[in-house]
């Protein structure tokens, strides 16, 4: 399995390049061909993602301005992780409607950049600057007095 994962990692790495060169596209082709071969040899099914990587991504790397580097699906993975955290957080709420409202409210509360900026400003104004390490300097004085 390790080889297959390494090959897929290489394929995705080259597919994500912004403005891919001919060398990047050639390396992508080598990685994806080897990855698909290992994938099928392991007995895994050809999922839509495998099909897209094998049949369509190279064409898109050549024809979409800038390549696919900033057009990947990281946001989908982030939404999966966020959804999982919310389901764990609200799993004990029995009523599905109440749970849905609470989850939506939590998402909204965590996605307000102006509030985040205000919190940073308040913390900045309230802070007194970097902490001085008075304890260690007092300890040094005590050690010097003992000597």
């Amino acid at each position: 399995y390790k080889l297959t994962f390494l090959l897929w990692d290489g394929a995705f790495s080259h597919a994500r390049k912004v403005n891919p060169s001919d060398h990047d596209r050639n390396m992508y082709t080598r990685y994806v061909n080897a990855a698909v071969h290992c994938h099928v040899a392991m007995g895994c099914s050809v999922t839509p993602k495998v099909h897209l990587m094998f049949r369509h991504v190279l064409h898109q790397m050549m024809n979409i301005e800038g390549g696919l580097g900033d057009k990947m699906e990281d946001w989908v993975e982030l939404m999966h992780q966020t959804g999982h955290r919310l389901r764990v957080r609200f799993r004990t709420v029995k009523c599905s409607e109440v749970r849905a409202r609470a989850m939506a409210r939590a998402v909204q509360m965590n996605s307000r950049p102006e509030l985040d900026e205000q919190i940073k400003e308040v913390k900045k104004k309230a802070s007194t600057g970097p902490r001085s390490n008075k304890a260690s300097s007092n300890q040094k004085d005590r050690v010097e007095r003992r000597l």
Side-chain angles (χ1 to χ4, degrees):
Y1 296 115
K2 185 177 180 179
L3 175 63
T4 304
F5 288 125
L6 288 172
L7 291 169
W8 277 122
D9 186 51
F12 278 103
S13 175
H14 284 285
R16 295 181 68 101
K17 297 268 176 117
V18 176
N19 296 320
S21 64
D22 288 336
H23 175 73
D24 294 328
R25 289 189 289 271
N26 289 336
M27 290 304 294
Y28 170 78
T29 302
R30 293 177 68 183
Y31 271 106
V32 79
N33 287 337
V36 169
H37 176 77
C38 288
H39 187 93
V40 171
M42 285 183 354
C44 296
S45 62
V46 177
T47 63
K49 184 181 259 184
V50 172
H51 170 78
L52 289 171
M53 290 291 287
F54 189 55
R55 294 286 183 204
H56 303 285
V57 169
L58 181 62
H59 176 76
Q60 293 170 345
M61 287 173 71
M62 291 187 291
N63 295 309
I64 293 177
E65 187 176 336
L68 297 173
D70 57 352
K71 299 164 189 76
M72 297 302 275
E73 58 184 29
D74 293 342
W75 64 273
V76 174
E77 181 59 31
L78 177 63
M79 293 306 294
H80 282 242
Q81 292 172 5
T82 302
H84 175 71
R85 281 193 296 272
L86 289 170
R87 283 189 301 278
V88 168
R89 181 176 168 187
F90 295 105
R91 70 177 174 250
T92 58
V93 178
K94 301 278 185 215
C95 178
S96 60
E97 190 173 323
V98 172
R99 182 174 51 247
R101 281 195 202 125
M103 290 168 82
R105 194 168 40 251
V107 168
Q108 182 182 12
M109 288 174 59
N110 290 331
S111 60
R112 295 178 58 190
E114 66 279 357
L115 182 62
D116 293 340
E117 191 61 39
Q118 186 178 2
I119 290 170
K120 284 181 190 175
E121 286 298 317
V122 169
K123 284 183 179 179
K124 184 178 174 183
K125 288 178 183 176
S127 93
T128 58
R131 291 182 65 184
S132 62
N133 199 347
K134 292 181 182 178
S136 66
S137 65
N138 287 342
Q139 188 176 11
K140 287 179 188 176
D141 292 340
R142 287 186 205 149
V143 170
E144 286 177 9
R145 282 188 223 144
R146 288 183 196 161
L147 296 176

